Amino acid sequence: MRILIVEDEPVISSGISTALAASGYQTRLATDGEKAWFLGDTEDFDLVVLDLGLPKMDGLSVLKRWRTAGRQMPVLILTARGAWPERVEGIDAGADDYLAKPFQIEELIARIRALIRRSAGHGSPVIEAGPISIDTRQMRVMIDKANVAVSPLEYRLVAYLLHHKNRVVPPGELIEHLYGDDDARDANALEAVVTRLRKKLGADVIQTRRGFGYLVADKLE
Ligand code: CA
């Protein structure tokens, strides 16, 4: 899962980045409104954390431009405490949730998890498909309710496929959402991770559609 953090205060943005990385998310940072707008318009993110008071272009204008251009990713806005007109305006402009500063980082992470789940159509923190399930609160993978030990990268791969279950996910999309910008990104590395996971989860849980991508489905075909 890739998250865009838009925040011009270094102390706040580094706190958010660190906590999100520890929770298994890839992050990108934009420190002004123009860069934020550009990244959100040209790259694919699973969620955006958007501060409203920003240099160059304010957060509300950025959000309105994304929504006008048809960008649908969930957006959580960070507002000043007590500034209720700002929150109303933000939600009217297309924000999905808000958090008032100062906030507890645990609350931000919980809201982000819930927003990502809901945007993928899942109401519960546990997502299942056939024998496999994940608990997004604890970053756990289970087969027939028994825990399976996985690496953070393996968890991210399984979690992405389960959030998008019953849909064939192209390798390029998976690579984009699994790896940070500095990590090596290639289809062979991805195939190696899938091979390792098949040994841990069973051969059929992650299916390959040759030439199209990978699939985790409710029913095995
Ligand atoms: Ca700010």
PDB file of all heavy atoms in Angstrom, residues 1 127 132-135 140-143 150-165 174 178 193-194 197-198 201 205-206 216:
ATOM      1  N   MET A   1       0.836  -1.198   0.000  1.00  0.00           N
ATOM      2  CA  MET A   1       0.000   0.000   0.000  1.00  0.00           C
ATOM      3  C   MET A   1       0.872   1.250   0.000  1.00  0.00           C
ATOM      4  O   MET A   1       1.795   1.364   0.790  1.00  0.00           O
ATOM      5  CB  MET A   1      -0.863   0.030   1.266  1.00  0.00           C
ATOM      6  CG  MET A   1      -1.775  -1.170   1.410  1.00  0.00           C
ATOM      7  SD  MET A   1      -3.146  -1.054   0.277  1.00  0.00           S
ATOM      8  CE  MET A   1      -3.691  -2.745   0.293  1.00  0.00           C
ATOM      9  N   ILE A 127      -9.815  -9.736   6.590  1.00  0.00           N
ATOM     10  CA  ILE A 127     -10.267  -9.977   5.216  1.00  0.00           C
ATOM     11  C   ILE A 127      -9.946 -11.422   4.857  1.00  0.00           C
ATOM     12  O   ILE A 127      -8.825 -11.886   5.079  1.00  0.00           O
ATOM     13  CB  ILE A 127      -9.570  -9.016   4.223  1.00  0.00           C
ATOM     14  CG1 ILE A 127      -9.781  -7.562   4.661  1.00  0.00           C
ATOM     15  CG2 ILE A 127     -10.119  -9.223   2.812  1.00  0.00           C
ATOM     16  CD1 ILE A 127      -9.003  -6.557   3.822  1.00  0.00           C
ATOM     17  N   ILE A 132      -7.448 -18.449   3.137  1.00  0.00           N
ATOM     18  CA  ILE A 132      -6.514 -17.438   3.647  1.00  0.00           C
ATOM     19  C   ILE A 132      -7.262 -16.263   4.262  1.00  0.00           C
ATOM     20  O   ILE A 132      -8.344 -15.888   3.813  1.00  0.00           O
ATOM     21  CB  ILE A 132      -5.568 -16.942   2.522  1.00  0.00           C
ATOM     22  CG1 ILE A 132      -4.466 -16.064   3.112  1.00  0.00           C
ATOM     23  CG2 ILE A 132      -6.326 -16.201   1.431  1.00  0.00           C
ATOM     24  CD1 ILE A 132      -3.357 -15.725   2.138  1.00  0.00           C
ATOM     25  N   SER A 133      -6.681 -15.702   5.316  1.00  0.00           N
ATOM     26  CA  SER A 133      -7.219 -14.467   5.876  1.00  0.00           C
ATOM     27  C   SER A 133      -6.060 -13.618   6.393  1.00  0.00           C
ATOM     28  O   SER A 133      -4.976 -14.126   6.683  1.00  0.00           O
ATOM     29  CB  SER A 133      -8.220 -14.759   6.996  1.00  0.00           C
ATOM     30  OG  SER A 133      -7.614 -15.526   8.002  1.00  0.00           O
ATOM     31  N   ILE A 134      -6.315 -12.289   6.465  1.00  0.00           N
ATOM     32  CA  ILE A 134      -5.337 -11.399   7.096  1.00  0.00           C
ATOM     33  C   ILE A 134      -6.049 -10.576   8.155  1.00  0.00           C
ATOM     34  O   ILE A 134      -7.236 -10.265   8.016  1.00  0.00           O
ATOM     35  CB  ILE A 134      -4.647 -10.435   6.105  1.00  0.00           C
ATOM     36  CG1 ILE A 134      -5.677  -9.627   5.303  1.00  0.00           C
ATOM     37  CG2 ILE A 134      -3.687 -11.161   5.198  1.00  0.00           C
ATOM     38  CD1 ILE A 134      -5.063  -8.449   4.560  1.00  0.00           C
ATOM     39  N   ASP A 135      -5.318 -10.260   9.212  1.00  0.00           N
ATOM     40  CA  ASP A 135      -5.810  -9.314  10.207  1.00  0.00           C
ATOM     41  C   ASP A 135      -4.999  -8.033  10.007  1.00  0.00           C
ATOM     42  O   ASP A 135      -3.800  -7.999  10.278  1.00  0.00           O
ATOM     43  CB  ASP A 135      -5.614  -9.878  11.612  1.00  0.00           C
ATOM     44  CG  ASP A 135      -6.261  -8.980  12.667  1.00  0.00           C
ATOM     45  OD1 ASP A 135      -6.252  -7.748  12.469  1.00  0.00           O
ATOM     46  OD2 ASP A 135      -6.768  -9.501  13.660  1.00  0.00           O
ATOM     47  N   ARG A 140      -1.181  -9.825  10.337  1.00  0.00           N
ATOM     48  CA  ARG A 140      -1.013 -11.276  10.408  1.00  0.00           C
ATOM     49  C   ARG A 140      -1.646 -11.954   9.217  1.00  0.00           C
ATOM     50  O   ARG A 140      -2.691 -11.515   8.727  1.00  0.00           O
ATOM     51  CB  ARG A 140      -1.702 -11.807  11.647  1.00  0.00           C
ATOM     52  CG  ARG A 140      -0.782 -11.806  12.828  1.00  0.00           C
ATOM     53  CD  ARG A 140      -1.288 -12.802  13.785  1.00  0.00           C
ATOM     54  NE  ARG A 140      -1.739 -12.094  14.969  1.00  0.00           N
ATOM     55  CZ  ARG A 140      -1.877 -12.679  16.144  1.00  0.00           C
ATOM     56  NH1 ARG A 140      -1.646 -13.967  16.260  1.00  0.00           N
ATOM     57  NH2 ARG A 140      -2.273 -11.997  17.170  1.00  0.00           N
ATOM     58  N   VAL A 141      -1.009 -13.045   8.785  1.00  0.00           N
ATOM     59  CA  VAL A 141      -1.559 -13.870   7.709  1.00  0.00           C
ATOM     60  C   VAL A 141      -1.906 -15.236   8.304  1.00  0.00           C
ATOM     61  O   VAL A 141      -1.115 -15.803   9.060  1.00  0.00           O
ATOM     62  CB  VAL A 141      -0.534 -14.047   6.568  1.00  0.00           C
ATOM     63  CG1 VAL A 141      -1.089 -14.973   5.484  1.00  0.00           C
ATOM     64  CG2 VAL A 141      -0.156 -12.691   5.984  1.00  0.00           C
ATOM     65  N   MET A 142      -3.099 -15.724   7.991  1.00  0.00           N
ATOM     66  CA  MET A 142      -3.523 -17.032   8.504  1.00  0.00           C
ATOM     67  C   MET A 142      -4.022 -17.920   7.374  1.00  0.00           C
ATOM     68  O   MET A 142      -4.637 -17.439   6.418  1.00  0.00           O
ATOM     69  CB  MET A 142      -4.651 -16.845   9.526  1.00  0.00           C
ATOM     70  CG  MET A 142      -4.168 -16.251  10.836  1.00  0.00           C
ATOM     71  SD  MET A 142      -5.428 -15.244  11.650  1.00  0.00           S
ATOM     72  CE  MET A 142      -5.466 -13.801  10.627  1.00  0.00           C
ATOM     73  N   ILE A 143      -3.709 -19.215   7.516  1.00  0.00           N
ATOM     74  CA  ILE A 143      -4.287 -20.216   6.622  1.00  0.00           C
ATOM     75  C   ILE A 143      -5.125 -21.134   7.496  1.00  0.00           C
ATOM     76  O   ILE A 143      -4.604 -21.694   8.462  1.00  0.00           O
ATOM     77  CB  ILE A 143      -3.184 -21.018   5.885  1.00  0.00           C
ATOM     78  CG1 ILE A 143      -2.499 -20.157   4.839  1.00  0.00           C
ATOM     79  CG2 ILE A 143      -3.755 -22.282   5.224  1.00  0.00           C
ATOM     80  CD1 ILE A 143      -3.286 -19.882   3.579  1.00  0.00           C
ATOM     81  N   VAL A 150       5.350 -14.510   8.000  1.00  0.00           N
ATOM     82  CA  VAL A 150       5.713 -13.892   6.722  1.00  0.00           C
ATOM     83  C   VAL A 150       6.565 -12.656   6.982  1.00  0.00           C
ATOM     84  O   VAL A 150       6.492 -12.062   8.060  1.00  0.00           O
ATOM     85  CB  VAL A 150       4.459 -13.479   5.900  1.00  0.00           C
ATOM     86  CG1 VAL A 150       3.684 -14.687   5.421  1.00  0.00           C
ATOM     87  CG2 VAL A 150       3.563 -12.530   6.678  1.00  0.00           C
ATOM     88  N   SER A 151       7.359 -12.278   5.976  1.00  0.00           N
ATOM     89  CA  SER A 151       8.160 -11.053   6.073  1.00  0.00           C
ATOM     90  C   SER A 151       7.246  -9.854   5.804  1.00  0.00           C
ATOM     91  O   SER A 151       6.150 -10.018   5.270  1.00  0.00           O
ATOM     92  CB  SER A 151       9.282 -11.098   5.037  1.00  0.00           C
ATOM     93  OG  SER A 151       8.720 -10.932   3.741  1.00  0.00           O
ATOM     94  N   PRO A 152       7.711  -8.631   6.147  1.00  0.00           N
ATOM     95  CA  PRO A 152       6.895  -7.447   5.850  1.00  0.00           C
ATOM     96  C   PRO A 152       6.537  -7.333   4.359  1.00  0.00           C
ATOM     97  O   PRO A 152       5.403  -7.003   4.016  1.00  0.00           O
ATOM     98  CB  PRO A 152       7.783  -6.280   6.297  1.00  0.00           C
ATOM     99  CG  PRO A 152       8.640  -6.861   7.376  1.00  0.00           C
ATOM    100  CD  PRO A 152       8.902  -8.290   6.955  1.00  0.00           C
ATOM    101  N   LEU A 153       7.485  -7.623   3.482  1.00  0.00           N
ATOM    102  CA  LEU A 153       7.193  -7.540   2.042  1.00  0.00           C
ATOM    103  C   LEU A 153       6.145  -8.579   1.641  1.00  0.00           C
ATOM    104  O   LEU A 153       5.219  -8.291   0.876  1.00  0.00           O
ATOM    105  CB  LEU A 153       8.485  -7.740   1.238  1.00  0.00           C
ATOM    106  CG  LEU A 153       8.323  -7.721  -0.290  1.00  0.00           C
ATOM    107  CD1 LEU A 153       7.818  -6.351  -0.772  1.00  0.00           C
ATOM    108  CD2 LEU A 153       9.644  -8.057  -0.983  1.00  0.00           C
ATOM    109  N   GLU A 154       6.297  -9.799   2.175  1.00  0.00           N
ATOM    110  CA  GLU A 154       5.317 -10.850   1.869  1.00  0.00           C
ATOM    111  C   GLU A 154       3.932 -10.455   2.379  1.00  0.00           C
ATOM    112  O   GLU A 154       2.924 -10.657   1.704  1.00  0.00           O
ATOM    113  CB  GLU A 154       5.758 -12.188   2.492  1.00  0.00           C
ATOM    114  CG  GLU A 154       6.978 -12.789   1.808  1.00  0.00           C
ATOM    115  CD  GLU A 154       7.631 -13.904   2.621  1.00  0.00           C
ATOM    116  OE1 GLU A 154       7.237 -14.144   3.784  1.00  0.00           O
ATOM    117  OE2 GLU A 154       8.559 -14.528   2.088  1.00  0.00           O
ATOM    118  N   TYR A 155       3.898  -9.848   3.585  1.00  0.00           N
ATOM    119  CA  TYR A 155       2.606  -9.399   4.113  1.00  0.00           C
ATOM    120  C   TYR A 155       1.978  -8.359   3.182  1.00  0.00           C
ATOM    121  O   TYR A 155       0.792  -8.423   2.867  1.00  0.00           O
ATOM    122  CB  TYR A 155       2.744  -8.805   5.526  1.00  0.00           C
ATOM    123  CG  TYR A 155       1.437  -8.201   5.977  1.00  0.00           C
ATOM    124  CD1 TYR A 155       0.421  -9.013   6.479  1.00  0.00           C
ATOM    125  CD2 TYR A 155       1.170  -6.838   5.824  1.00  0.00           C
ATOM    126  CE1 TYR A 155      -0.813  -8.482   6.833  1.00  0.00           C
ATOM    127  CE2 TYR A 155      -0.054  -6.299   6.170  1.00  0.00           C
ATOM    128  CZ  TYR A 155      -1.044  -7.124   6.672  1.00  0.00           C
ATOM    129  OH  TYR A 155      -2.271  -6.597   6.988  1.00  0.00           O
ATOM    130  N   ARG A 156       2.785  -7.402   2.738  1.00  0.00           N
ATOM    131  CA  ARG A 156       2.233  -6.344   1.877  1.00  0.00           C
ATOM    132  C   ARG A 156       1.658  -6.925   0.605  1.00  0.00           C
ATOM    133  O   ARG A 156       0.612  -6.487   0.111  1.00  0.00           O
ATOM    134  CB  ARG A 156       3.314  -5.309   1.548  1.00  0.00           C
ATOM    135  CG  ARG A 156       3.763  -4.504   2.747  1.00  0.00           C
ATOM    136  CD  ARG A 156       4.346  -3.160   2.329  1.00  0.00           C
ATOM    137  NE  ARG A 156       5.558  -3.267   1.526  1.00  0.00           N
ATOM    138  CZ  ARG A 156       6.780  -3.347   2.021  1.00  0.00           C
ATOM    139  NH1 ARG A 156       6.972  -3.318   3.317  1.00  0.00           N
ATOM    140  NH2 ARG A 156       7.819  -3.424   1.216  1.00  0.00           N
ATOM    141  N   LEU A 157       2.345  -7.928   0.048  1.00  0.00           N
ATOM    142  CA  LEU A 157       1.865  -8.549  -1.192  1.00  0.00           C
ATOM    143  C   LEU A 157       0.526  -9.263  -0.951  1.00  0.00           C
ATOM    144  O   LEU A 157      -0.448  -9.044  -1.677  1.00  0.00           O
ATOM    145  CB  LEU A 157       2.916  -9.516  -1.727  1.00  0.00           C
ATOM    146  CG  LEU A 157       2.702  -9.979  -3.173  1.00  0.00           C
ATOM    147  CD1 LEU A 157       4.029 -10.328  -3.824  1.00  0.00           C
ATOM    148  CD2 LEU A 157       1.782 -11.181  -3.270  1.00  0.00           C
ATOM    149  N   VAL A 158       0.476 -10.082   0.092  1.00  0.00           N
ATOM    150  CA  VAL A 158      -0.769 -10.794   0.405  1.00  0.00           C
ATOM    151  C   VAL A 158      -1.886  -9.790   0.706  1.00  0.00           C
ATOM    152  O   VAL A 158      -3.022  -9.937   0.236  1.00  0.00           O
ATOM    153  CB  VAL A 158      -0.548 -11.737   1.621  1.00  0.00           C
ATOM    154  CG1 VAL A 158      -1.872 -12.291   2.124  1.00  0.00           C
ATOM    155  CG2 VAL A 158       0.384 -12.881   1.243  1.00  0.00           C
ATOM    156  N   ALA A 159      -1.566  -8.745   1.482  1.00  0.00           N
ATOM    157  CA  ALA A 159      -2.590  -7.766   1.866  1.00  0.00           C
ATOM    158  C   ALA A 159      -3.137  -7.043   0.633  1.00  0.00           C
ATOM    159  O   ALA A 159      -4.346  -6.826   0.518  1.00  0.00           O
ATOM    160  CB  ALA A 159      -2.014  -6.756   2.863  1.00  0.00           C
ATOM    161  N   TYR A 160      -2.260  -6.697  -0.295  1.00  0.00           N
ATOM    162  CA  TYR A 160      -2.752  -5.984  -1.485  1.00  0.00           C
ATOM    163  C   TYR A 160      -3.678  -6.876  -2.308  1.00  0.00           C
ATOM    164  O   TYR A 160      -4.748  -6.451  -2.745  1.00  0.00           O
ATOM    165  CB  TYR A 160      -1.575  -5.480  -2.350  1.00  0.00           C
ATOM    166  CG  TYR A 160      -2.052  -4.480  -3.382  1.00  0.00           C
ATOM    167  CD1 TYR A 160      -2.202  -3.135  -3.040  1.00  0.00           C
ATOM    168  CD2 TYR A 160      -2.404  -4.877  -4.668  1.00  0.00           C
ATOM    169  CE1 TYR A 160      -2.682  -2.221  -3.960  1.00  0.00           C
ATOM    170  CE2 TYR A 160      -2.882  -3.965  -5.602  1.00  0.00           C
ATOM    171  CZ  TYR A 160      -3.013  -2.637  -5.234  1.00  0.00           C
ATOM    172  OH  TYR A 160      -3.506  -1.730  -6.143  1.00  0.00           O
ATOM    173  N   LEU A 161      -3.263  -8.131  -2.481  1.00  0.00           N
ATOM    174  CA  LEU A 161      -4.105  -9.051  -3.272  1.00  0.00           C
ATOM    175  C   LEU A 161      -5.438  -9.311  -2.570  1.00  0.00           C
ATOM    176  O   LEU A 161      -6.475  -9.419  -3.225  1.00  0.00           O
ATOM    177  CB  LEU A 161      -3.367 -10.376  -3.524  1.00  0.00           C
ATOM    178  CG  LEU A 161      -2.188 -10.294  -4.504  1.00  0.00           C
ATOM    179  CD1 LEU A 161      -1.461 -11.627  -4.570  1.00  0.00           C
ATOM    180  CD2 LEU A 161      -2.662  -9.879  -5.905  1.00  0.00           C
ATOM    181  N   LEU A 162      -5.434  -9.389  -1.240  1.00  0.00           N
ATOM    182  CA  LEU A 162      -6.694  -9.626  -0.518  1.00  0.00           C
ATOM    183  C   LEU A 162      -7.598  -8.390  -0.525  1.00  0.00           C
ATOM    184  O   LEU A 162      -8.812  -8.519  -0.629  1.00  0.00           O
ATOM    185  CB  LEU A 162      -6.416 -10.068   0.914  1.00  0.00           C
ATOM    186  CG  LEU A 162      -6.325 -11.585   1.089  1.00  0.00           C
ATOM    187  CD1 LEU A 162      -5.707 -11.930   2.417  1.00  0.00           C
ATOM    188  CD2 LEU A 162      -7.683 -12.243   0.978  1.00  0.00           C
ATOM    189  N   HIS A 163      -6.998  -7.198  -0.412  1.00  0.00           N
ATOM    190  CA  HIS A 163      -7.813  -5.987  -0.516  1.00  0.00           C
ATOM    191  C   HIS A 163      -8.478  -5.915  -1.897  1.00  0.00           C
ATOM    192  O   HIS A 163      -9.528  -5.314  -2.051  1.00  0.00           O
ATOM    193  CB  HIS A 163      -6.971  -4.725  -0.297  1.00  0.00           C
ATOM    194  CG  HIS A 163      -6.777  -4.356   1.148  1.00  0.00           C
ATOM    195  ND1 HIS A 163      -5.800  -4.909   1.922  1.00  0.00           N
ATOM    196  CD2 HIS A 163      -7.449  -3.513   1.968  1.00  0.00           C
ATOM    197  CE1 HIS A 163      -5.865  -4.396   3.154  1.00  0.00           C
ATOM    198  NE2 HIS A 163      -6.866  -3.543   3.199  1.00  0.00           N
ATOM    199  N   HIS A 164      -7.824  -6.503  -2.883  1.00  0.00           N
ATOM    200  CA  HIS A 164      -8.365  -6.468  -4.248  1.00  0.00           C
ATOM    201  C   HIS A 164      -8.744  -7.873  -4.705  1.00  0.00           C
ATOM    202  O   HIS A 164      -8.543  -8.240  -5.867  1.00  0.00           O
ATOM    203  CB  HIS A 164      -7.342  -5.831  -5.189  1.00  0.00           C
ATOM    204  CG  HIS A 164      -6.992  -4.430  -4.789  1.00  0.00           C
ATOM    205  ND1 HIS A 164      -7.754  -3.345  -5.142  1.00  0.00           N
ATOM    206  CD2 HIS A 164      -6.000  -3.945  -3.997  1.00  0.00           C
ATOM    207  CE1 HIS A 164      -7.246  -2.247  -4.595  1.00  0.00           C
ATOM    208  NE2 HIS A 164      -6.175  -2.585  -3.905  1.00  0.00           N
ATOM    209  N   LYS A 165      -9.278  -8.674  -3.775  1.00  0.00           N
ATOM    210  CA  LYS A 165      -9.550 -10.080  -4.103  1.00  0.00           C
ATOM    211  C   LYS A 165     -10.574 -10.197  -5.230  1.00  0.00           C
ATOM    212  O   LYS A 165     -11.383  -9.287  -5.447  1.00  0.00           O
ATOM    213  CB  LYS A 165     -10.018 -10.837  -2.858  1.00  0.00           C
ATOM    214  CG  LYS A 165     -11.375 -10.423  -2.321  1.00  0.00           C
ATOM    215  CD  LYS A 165     -11.719 -11.263  -1.096  1.00  0.00           C
ATOM    216  CE  LYS A 165     -13.106 -10.889  -0.589  1.00  0.00           C
ATOM    217  NZ  LYS A 165     -13.545 -11.779   0.489  1.00  0.00           N
ATOM    218  N   LEU A 174       1.229  -4.241  -8.815  1.00  0.00           N
ATOM    219  CA  LEU A 174       1.730  -4.786  -7.547  1.00  0.00           C
ATOM    220  C   LEU A 174       3.084  -4.178  -7.190  1.00  0.00           C
ATOM    221  O   LEU A 174       3.305  -3.763  -6.058  1.00  0.00           O
ATOM    222  CB  LEU A 174       1.897  -6.301  -7.668  1.00  0.00           C
ATOM    223  CG  LEU A 174       0.800  -7.195  -7.124  1.00  0.00           C
ATOM    224  CD1 LEU A 174       1.191  -8.645  -7.332  1.00  0.00           C
ATOM    225  CD2 LEU A 174       0.540  -6.927  -5.643  1.00  0.00           C
ATOM    226  N   LEU A 178       4.073  -2.153  -3.817  1.00  0.00           N
ATOM    227  CA  LEU A 178       4.836  -2.904  -2.814  1.00  0.00           C
ATOM    228  C   LEU A 178       6.170  -2.285  -2.477  1.00  0.00           C
ATOM    229  O   LEU A 178       6.635  -2.379  -1.353  1.00  0.00           O
ATOM    230  CB  LEU A 178       5.126  -4.323  -3.318  1.00  0.00           C
ATOM    231  CG  LEU A 178       3.934  -5.250  -3.440  1.00  0.00           C
ATOM    232  CD1 LEU A 178       4.420  -6.621  -3.852  1.00  0.00           C
ATOM    233  CD2 LEU A 178       3.204  -5.320  -2.125  1.00  0.00           C
ATOM    234  N   VAL A 193       9.083 -13.560  -4.744  1.00  0.00           N
ATOM    235  CA  VAL A 193       8.300 -13.408  -3.515  1.00  0.00           C
ATOM    236  C   VAL A 193       7.057 -14.291  -3.571  1.00  0.00           C
ATOM    237  O   VAL A 193       6.697 -14.967  -2.602  1.00  0.00           O
ATOM    238  CB  VAL A 193       7.883 -11.930  -3.292  1.00  0.00           C
ATOM    239  CG1 VAL A 193       7.100 -11.796  -1.996  1.00  0.00           C
ATOM    240  CG2 VAL A 193       9.091 -11.021  -3.265  1.00  0.00           C
ATOM    241  N   VAL A 194       6.406 -14.330  -4.745  1.00  0.00           N
ATOM    242  CA  VAL A 194       5.206 -15.156  -4.903  1.00  0.00           C
ATOM    243  C   VAL A 194       5.557 -16.633  -4.711  1.00  0.00           C
ATOM    244  O   VAL A 194       4.833 -17.379  -4.041  1.00  0.00           O
ATOM    245  CB  VAL A 194       4.554 -14.914  -6.287  1.00  0.00           C
ATOM    246  CG1 VAL A 194       3.433 -15.912  -6.538  1.00  0.00           C
ATOM    247  CG2 VAL A 194       4.020 -13.480  -6.375  1.00  0.00           C
ATOM    248  N   LEU A 197       5.930 -17.351  -1.099  1.00  0.00           N
ATOM    249  CA  LEU A 197       4.620 -17.362  -0.444  1.00  0.00           C
ATOM    250  C   LEU A 197       3.846 -18.640  -0.738  1.00  0.00           C
ATOM    251  O   LEU A 197       3.142 -19.155   0.121  1.00  0.00           O
ATOM    252  CB  LEU A 197       3.803 -16.145  -0.893  1.00  0.00           C
ATOM    253  CG  LEU A 197       4.081 -14.872  -0.094  1.00  0.00           C
ATOM    254  CD1 LEU A 197       3.456 -13.671  -0.772  1.00  0.00           C
ATOM    255  CD2 LEU A 197       3.552 -15.008   1.335  1.00  0.00           C
ATOM    256  N   ARG A 198       3.983 -19.153  -1.953  1.00  0.00           N
ATOM    257  CA  ARG A 198       3.257 -20.392  -2.286  1.00  0.00           C
ATOM    258  C   ARG A 198       3.742 -21.549  -1.425  1.00  0.00           C
ATOM    259  O   ARG A 198       2.960 -22.410  -1.059  1.00  0.00           O
ATOM    260  CB  ARG A 198       3.421 -20.720  -3.771  1.00  0.00           C
ATOM    261  CG  ARG A 198       2.572 -19.802  -4.636  1.00  0.00           C
ATOM    262  CD  ARG A 198       2.485 -20.287  -6.071  1.00  0.00           C
ATOM    263  NE  ARG A 198       1.548 -19.446  -6.787  1.00  0.00           N
ATOM    264  CZ  ARG A 198       1.835 -18.785  -7.908  1.00  0.00           C
ATOM    265  NH1 ARG A 198       3.031 -18.897  -8.459  1.00  0.00           N
ATOM    266  NH2 ARG A 198       0.928 -18.035  -8.477  1.00  0.00           N
ATOM    267  N   LEU A 201       1.984 -20.788   1.970  1.00  0.00           N
ATOM    268  CA  LEU A 201       0.512 -20.697   2.033  1.00  0.00           C
ATOM    269  C   LEU A 201      -0.189 -21.846   1.338  1.00  0.00           C
ATOM    270  O   LEU A 201      -1.397 -22.021   1.503  1.00  0.00           O
ATOM    271  CB  LEU A 201       0.034 -19.385   1.369  1.00  0.00           C
ATOM    272  CG  LEU A 201       0.662 -18.086   1.866  1.00  0.00           C
ATOM    273  CD1 LEU A 201       0.197 -16.921   1.000  1.00  0.00           C
ATOM    274  CD2 LEU A 201       0.284 -17.829   3.317  1.00  0.00           C
ATOM    275  N   VAL A 205      -3.245 -20.747  -3.397  1.00  0.00           N
ATOM    276  CA  VAL A 205      -3.866 -19.556  -2.805  1.00  0.00           C
ATOM    277  C   VAL A 205      -3.660 -18.323  -3.689  1.00  0.00           C
ATOM    278  O   VAL A 205      -4.587 -17.566  -3.951  1.00  0.00           O
ATOM    279  CB  VAL A 205      -3.328 -19.315  -1.374  1.00  0.00           C
ATOM    280  CG1 VAL A 205      -3.817 -17.985  -0.831  1.00  0.00           C
ATOM    281  CG2 VAL A 205      -3.780 -20.442  -0.457  1.00  0.00           C
ATOM    282  N   ILE A 206      -2.410 -18.149  -4.160  1.00  0.00           N
ATOM    283  CA  ILE A 206      -2.154 -17.061  -5.112  1.00  0.00           C
ATOM    284  C   ILE A 206      -2.089 -17.683  -6.500  1.00  0.00           C
ATOM    285  O   ILE A 206      -1.191 -18.470  -6.790  1.00  0.00           O
ATOM    286  CB  ILE A 206      -0.838 -16.325  -4.797  1.00  0.00           C
ATOM    287  CG1 ILE A 206      -0.902 -15.713  -3.395  1.00  0.00           C
ATOM    288  CG2 ILE A 206      -0.569 -15.235  -5.840  1.00  0.00           C
ATOM    289  CD1 ILE A 206       0.420 -15.095  -2.943  1.00  0.00           C
ATOM    290  N   VAL A 216      -6.064 -13.552  -5.958  1.00  0.00           N
ATOM    291  CA  VAL A 216      -6.538 -14.296  -4.787  1.00  0.00           C
ATOM    292  C   VAL A 216      -8.054 -14.240  -4.866  1.00  0.00           C
ATOM    293  O   VAL A 216      -8.628 -13.147  -4.949  1.00  0.00           O
ATOM    294  CB  VAL A 216      -6.026 -13.694  -3.467  1.00  0.00           C
ATOM    295  CG1 VAL A 216      -6.739 -14.336  -2.275  1.00  0.00           C
ATOM    296  CG2 VAL A 216      -4.527 -13.892  -3.332  1.00  0.00           C
TER     297      VAL A 216
END
